[in-house]
Every structure is written in structure tokens, then in C-alpha cells.
Amino acid sequence: MAELIQSTATDAPPHTVAMPAFSRRHLNMLLLGLGFATGMEFYTADSINLCLTDITGSFGVSGDEASWSLTVYSSALFLGVPVCVWLAGYIGYKSYLIGSVVLFAASSVVSATAYSFETMLVARAFQGLAGAGLVVWWRGTVYMLLPKPMRSESLMRVSTMLYLSSAFGMLFSGYITDQVSWRLICVPNLAYAAVAIWLLLRYFPDLPVQRSERPTDWLGIILIAVTLVSLQVILSRGQVDDWFGSPRIRMLAWLGGSAVILFAIWQTSPRNSAPLLRLELLFDRYVLSSALIGIFTGMILSGSLYMLPEFLRNVASQPLSATQTGRVLAVYALTAAAVRPLIVVVVARFGQRKTICGALACLIASMLLINRFMTTDTPAYYFYLPLVLYAFCLSSLLPSVGSGTVARIEQQKLLDGVSLYMTFRQLGAALGIAVITILVERRETLHSARLFDHLRASSEVVQNWMTTASNMVATRGGYSVLKSHDVATKLLAEVGGRQAAALAYADAFLFMALIGFITLCLVPIIPPTPVATKK
């Protein structure tokens, strides 16, 4: 194993260690280990999203119920983000990261092999808690161990691996789902975990445990958990229970609202010697801007890619297989992997704010194009251009927010800043799927009512269509006149339902464009950053 040129200090303040100097080979192996560890999370997230239709069939649940596999995961991830910084310091950074890898791989196997939907949801919750450690600590490790001049390149190299893992997840999981079973999508996680553990054991430095300096904020953990559970139940049951017309929803709203207020008070209280989240950092303009943008970024990342595979596999008049859908969606991941190495130069040349504005412009254009193209008969290749634009947004937005905001706060507060940013981002991700699901359901109901009202108003046109369809069914299928009329009626209902669903999904992407525009309006609060000048 390559030796550390400089050892880690043991008397550093909380969340701060002396930066060790690595040999080039040691650094490469460490980044590779972080890439495999977090790549497992990226691979799984895209695989589950792609196979949601097959999960629905396997467990005999509705599409709305199946989306809970995403909601539970993102909610557990949200809960795990603020906890993971404390827990890593308590048991040791290296032990925590390797433990997260093991727990993620094990829970992914349980999730994929479960024969009851409830068991799968429990496994997905544990997977989310483990995933929090992976998505936070690959960034946290770079910020904690490497000096500023080395961070951008290191983050770029790991990010490129993560986008390639997303592409692999969509291509492999689509193929294995069609050819064998979606339950085998967990197999690559075992390989990911084995390689990651081997590399991290050898190349992740042994850092001091900060157990005595970071006591447990149990009250903070309980309050944020109550807030999260209340919010998720409200979002999932609100439409069913008539929202605030339901006593249970009102009680949960009061409970969640009280919990979040008490959480904010407790986190800023002088009596809390080790807050779970250092909310006072929000007074720092860098952290505040990253947190606000992080909420909307999380909604964009979770909401946009959740909707498109659902549309291609379930709503299109000629639904795509999992393999075909994976090939379409892999366009964005492969493009992002190709573009990501260039972003370091772009941010240095144009500055963070201009880069973020360009990224959000690409996002808005992408969502508006999908909204424009979304019909039941749209060829799949029409979505390539919007996905390429989305990749330009994704590959430049996240590093721009990190390099110009979180990465610019003081070193001793850096991990707390990362935790705060990721917490707000995961809050947006948890909200994104729930809000989009509710939006699609409500808009589909509205469009369905309007569409069938229009069909009744145009009775002559409908009658002509029914007559033609009945004749075709009777001629080709050998049905009686009465039976052929029933079949034609069902065909009309199916066509109308698909049209209503397509309009609802188009509205969802219009909503995502609106989110992008709102995020664009927040860019002025980001402090200006220096840019490279030509000599």
C-alpha cells in the first residue's frame, strides 16, 4: 500500500483533521474506492426507477403504492444525512464509510429478493440510511483530506465515475429485467461493494475518533424524524383523506410543524453543545445560497427522472421495454460523464454564477422540450435532445454550487456545511417525488374529465369513430355486433385515458421548468466568485 507522506493529526478540532499528503497512486486508489462505494448508490437509484413498472407487477400494488419504494428511500436518505456526520465522527470515518457500504449492499439484496412489499420498504429504508453515508462522505472525504487546489479535479473524477454508474445501471438493469428478472439488479452491488471495501481498507487513512467531542444529539434526531414522518404521511395520504378536512392530517400537520420549530430552536440553543445541524451557518451567505438552491436542485433531480421512464413504459401508445427505456435514459448519463471533465475549466473561466445560470437555462429548455414533445405517439428518439440538455445542466449545476458556496466556508466548519447543504438537497428530493406524484394524479383526473366532456359534446365525431372501430373489431375478430361495440367502447376509454395521462405528465415537466425558473431567480444571492483571466 502506498504510504502517507504526512500523518494525520490527532488533536484537531471537531470535524477537522490535518490534511495528509498522498502519493499520486494512493490518491487515485482512494478516489477509485469512493467512486465504487457511491457508484453503488447511483446504480441502484436509477435501476429501481427504471424497474418500477415490474416492481408494481411483482407485488400486485398500484403505481402510486410502488412509488413508495422511492419515497421511503429518499426520506430515509434525508434523515440519514444530518446523522451521518455525527455518527462518522463517533465511530470513525473509515469504519462508518465501510459499514455504510456493507449495509447498502446487504439491504439491496434483501430489497430485491423480498416477496412482500412491506419487507421491501423496510429494506429500502435501511438502504436509504446507508446511502446517506455514501452520498455525503465521498464529498466529505475530498473536502476533509485534500487541499483546495486538488479538490476540483478529485470531485470531477469521482463524479464522472458516478455518471458512468448511472448509465451502467440503466443499461444493465433494463436488459436483465427483460431477459430474466428485475430481482437480479442487486447482483452488481455485490461487486461494487467488494471492490470498494478492498480499496477503502487499504487506502482510506485511519483518522481519529471524535467520540468525546461530538456527543449524541438524541433530541435533534427525534425531532427531525417526527418532522419527516409527519410530512411523508401528509403527502402520501393527503389526497386520499381530503387533506386538511381530515382530523388525522390536521393533527400530523400540527405535530410536524411543532417538531420542525422545536428542532430549529434546539439546534441554535446554547444548551445544545453538539447540534445535529449547525443552523447558525445559514447566516453565512455561501451556505444559505447553497441550502436554498439545494432544495430546488433536489426536486429537479428526483422529479424529472422519475417521470420520464414511467411515461415511456406505461403511457406511450407503444410502450417501451425496460431495455429500450434504459437505452433512452442512458443518453443523459453518458453525456454528463463526457461533459463533466470540462466543467472545472468552465467554472474557472466564467465563474460560478454564470455557470449556474447556464445550467438552469439548459434545464428549463430540457423540461419545456419534453413538455412540447410529450404525446402518446412521440418517437423515443425525440427525447434525446432534452436529455442531452438535462445532462449539461446536471454536470455543471452540482459542482458549481459546491465549488462556489459550500467549499468556500472555513475548513473547521466545512463538514457541517456539507451536511447542511446535503440535508436541504435531500429534503428537496424527498418532496420532489411526492409532489410530482400528487400533481400527476390531480392533473390526470382533471384532463380526463375535460377530455370525456369534450367527447360527449362531439357526439357525432365519437359516434363515427365508434362505428368504424366496431366494424373493424367485428371484421377482424369475428365478434358479434353487441360484443364489438363493447370492445370499441373499451378501446375509446383506453385511448382517452392515455391521452389524459400524457397531458398530466406534460404538465409535470412544465412544473419542473417552473422550479428551474424559481431556482434561477435565487442565483443573485450567491456571492460572486473570482474567475480566471486571460494573460
Side-chain angles (χ1 to χ4, degrees):
M1 182 181 82
E3 297 295 330
L4 289 177
I5 299 175
Q6 178 181 336
S7 62
T8 301
T10 59
D11 56 350
H15 296 333
T16 305
V17 296
M19 294 180 183
F22 297 103
S23 69
R24 173 58 62 177
R25 179 176 180 276
H26 193 124
L27 178 59
N28 290 339
M29 293 298 102
L30 174 61
L31 295 178
L32 194 63
L34 295 173
F36 272 103
T38 313
M40 178 170 57
E41 194 277 337
F42 275 63
Y43 161 83
T44 302
D46 286 297
S47 297
I48 292 292
N49 198 22
L50 181 64
C51 301
L52 206 59
T53 299
D54 305 277
I55 294 173
T56 302
S58 294
F59 292 109
V61 296
S62 66
D64 177 55
E65 291 172 316
S67 69
W68 265 89
S69 62
L70 304 179
T71 303
V72 167
Y73 176 80
S74 62
S75 300
L77 196 63
F78 168 52
L79 177 61
V81 165
V83 174
C84 71
V85 173
W86 156 74
L87 191 56
Y90 189 80
I91 67 175
Y93 299 104
K94 184 175 183 177
S95 299
Y96 178 76
L97 188 54
I98 293 175
S100 296
V101 172
V102 173
L103 179 59
F104 192 95
S107 55
S108 68
V109 172
V110 175
S111 172
T113 56
Y115 281 91
S116 73
F117 191 59
E118 292 75 14
T119 303
M120 181 187 183
L121 292 181
V122 172
R124 288 286 286 168
F126 280 101
Q127 203 173 26
L129 292 173
L134 302 179
V135 298
V136 170
W137 279 107
W138 80 267
R139 286 185 181 85
T141 298
V142 171
Y143 287 136
M144 182 173 62
L145 298 181
L146 301 182
K148 286 186 178 181
M150 300 177 63
R151 289 174 187 168
S152 293
E153 181 185 356
S154 299
L155 291 170
M156 176 272 293
R157 292 165 63 185
V158 178
S159 295
T160 302
M161 285 188 64
L162 301 183
Y163 292 134
L164 291 175
S165 291
S166 290
F168 172 67
M170 288 178 283
L171 294 173
F172 175 81
S173 60
Y175 176 81
I176 202 68
T177 296
D178 287 336
Q179 299 301 318
V180 187
S181 170
W182 69 269
R183 296 182 182 277
L184 293 181
I185 63 175
C186 66
V187 173
N189 278 343
L190 302 178
Y192 269 100
V195 175
I197 292 171
W198 184 79
L199 290 171
L200 293 174
L201 283 173
R202 291 175 61 86
Y203 297 103
F204 196 100
D206 293 315
L207 303 177
V209 176
Q210 300 173 349
R211 184 173 307 168
S212 61
E213 301 178 36
R214 192 72 171 178
T216 306
D217 184 8
W218 289 114
L219 181 57
I221 294 174
I222 293 172
L223 289 173
I224 198 172
V226 170
T227 302
L228 177 64
V229 172
S230 301
L231 177 63
Q232 289 302 319
V233 173
I234 290 172
L235 291 175
S236 64
R237 296 293 305 175
Q239 189 166 342
V240 178
D241 295 341
D242 192 28
W243 294 105
F244 293 103
S246 166
R248 179 171 63 175
I249 296 298
R250 290 197 300 270
M251 181 195 70
L252 288 172
W254 280 106
L255 181 62
S258 301
V260 73
I261 293 173
L262 291 174
F263 177 79
I265 294 173
W266 173 242
Q267 295 305 291
T268 55
S269 171
R271 298 177 58 187
N272 188 357
S273 60
L276 194 64
L277 287 177
R278 295 186 61 183
L279 296 182
E280 71 274 9
L281 289 179
L282 292 175
F283 291 107
D284 186 318
R285 190 176 168 188
Y286 290 114
V287 180
L288 177 63
S289 59
S290 65
L292 292 178
I293 291 178
I295 293 177
F296 295 106
T297 300
M299 294 185 68
I300 290 167
L301 296 180
S302 64
S304 54
L305 289 184
Y306 162 65
M307 301 308 299
L308 189 55
E310 286 292 292
F311 173 81
L312 293 175
R313 298 204 61 192
N314 297 316
V315 179
S317 57
Q318 295 182 344
L320 301 186
S321 65
T323 302
Q324 293 169 323
T325 305
R327 289 172 181 169
V328 172
L329 294 175
V331 169
Y332 98 84
L334 292 173
T335 303
V339 172
R340 181 62 179 89
L342 305 176
I343 300 303
V344 176
V345 178
V346 172
V347 175
R349 178 67 183 86
F350 295 101
Q352 180 209 15
R353 294 204 290 190
K354 290 182 179 178
T355 305
I356 291 178
C357 288
L360 293 173
C362 288
L363 171 78
I364 294 170
S366 172
M367 298 297 104
L368 290 177
L369 281 175
I370 295 178
N371 170 267
R372 177 66 180 85
F373 292 156
M374 186 156 284
T375 68
T376 55
D377 297 319
T378 301
Y381 63 83
Y382 272 48
F383 297 107
Y384 289 168
L385 176 59
L387 287 172
V388 168
L389 290 173
Y390 179 80
F392 277 100
C393 165
L394 187 64
S395 59
S396 55
L397 180 61
L398 299 183
S400 299
V401 173
S403 65
T405 52
V406 176
R408 293 185 177 275
I409 64 178
E410 301 174 21
Q411 179 68 26
Q412 63 269 25
K413 300 178 182 178
L414 193 52
L415 289 182
D416 289 303
V418 172
S419 175
L420 202 59
Y421 164 65
M422 290 301 299
T423 298
F424 277 88
R425 204 177 102 179
Q426 282 308 131
L427 173 62
L431 290 174
I433 296 175
V435 170
I436 286 294
T437 301
I438 294 170
L439 176 65
V440 169
E441 288 180 354
R442 294 179 69 89
R443 298 298 293 178
E444 187 172 351
T445 301
L446 176 63
H447 286 304
S448 180
R450 289 177 175 175
L451 182 61
F452 285 102
D453 281 344
H454 176 73
L455 291 177
R456 286 194 293 271
S458 308
S459 56
E460 185 176 348
V461 176
V462 175
Q463 188 60 44
N464 291 336
W465 188 92
M466 289 288 295
T467 301
T468 303
S470 297
N471 292 336
M472 291 180 62
V473 169
T475 302
R476 297 182 180 182
Y479 292 106
S480 65
V481 174
L482 182 61
K483 184 64 174 178
S484 62
H485 184 273
D486 291 339
V487 173
T489 302
K490 292 179 181 178
L491 288 174
L492 179 62
E494 181 181 351
V495 171
R498 287 183 182 274
Q499 292 289 350
L503 292 171
Y505 277 73
D507 290 343
F509 284 98
L510 185 62
F511 174 75
M512 298 308 300
L514 176 62
I515 294 296
F517 180 76
I518 294 173
T519 311
L520 189 62
C521 294
L522 296 175
V523 172
I525 70 174
I526 301 175
T529 55
V531 298
T533 57
K534 293 183 179 180
K535 296 183 179 180

